[in-house]
Amino acid sequence: MTLDTAVWVLLVTAIVLANIPWLLSQRVLIFIPLPKPKSIWLNLVEWFFYFLLTGVFAYLLEQKAMGHIQPQDWEFYVVTLFMFAIFSFPGFIYCYNLKMFLDRVRSTHS
């Protein structure tokens, strides 16, 4: 796997995993169904779990693509955390703003 391919795979994976907690409001960790929608705190815990999972995946991809792991300082991890937060913005907006607006519009047109 080339380094370019690994970067694109990692970016797509990060964007998908960052949005899963917000888009699947009736499930925890994709597989566990819930009787009612998740609270924002459970969404944030699940989102952080996916951030850690993405980090493990990035570590493995770096090992495979480059053959070694580059040591990082704390700034790298802060930047990746904020990038993951930016990646999750579409799902968050859908879950807490757009979904309620669309439900309201549907109910007024029914």
Side-chain angles (χ1 to χ4, degrees):
M1 174 180 296
T2 66
L3 191 57
D4 289 340
T5 306
V7 168
W8 282 108
V9 167
L10 180 62
L11 282 175
V12 170
T13 303
I15 291 169
V16 169
L17 287 179
N19 286 290
I20 286 177
W22 316 112
L23 298 177
L24 298 178
S25 62
Q26 296 285 90
R27 295 186 170 274
V28 175
L29 300 176
I30 302 173
F31 302 109
I32 305 168
L34 294 175
K36 59 181 186 169
K38 297 182 284 190
S39 69
I40 191 166
W41 298 110
L42 186 55
N43 276 337
L44 288 171
V45 168
E46 185 179 6
W47 174 85
F48 190 72
F49 171 77
Y50 286 132
F51 169 69
L52 296 176
L53 186 66
T54 303
V56 169
F57 184 62
Y59 181 85
L60 295 173
L61 271 178
E62 185 176 5
Q63 178 69 33
K64 175 126 175 90
M66 294 176 56
H68 69 283
I69 303 299
Q70 180 70 29
Q72 305 293 342
D73 289 329
W74 66 270
E75 295 94 346
F76 172 79
Y77 298 105
V78 171
V79 168
T80 57
L81 179 69
F82 282 106
M83 280 180 56
F84 202 72
I86 291 168
F87 290 162
S88 72
F89 190 69
F92 181 84
I93 292 298
Y94 174 77
C95 181
Y96 290 106
N97 293 95
L98 187 61
K99 191 174 178 184
M100 290 185 295
F101 175 74
L102 292 174
D103 290 343
R104 210 172 340 154
V105 167
R106 280 189 209 121
S107 66
T108 59
H109 288 293
S110 299

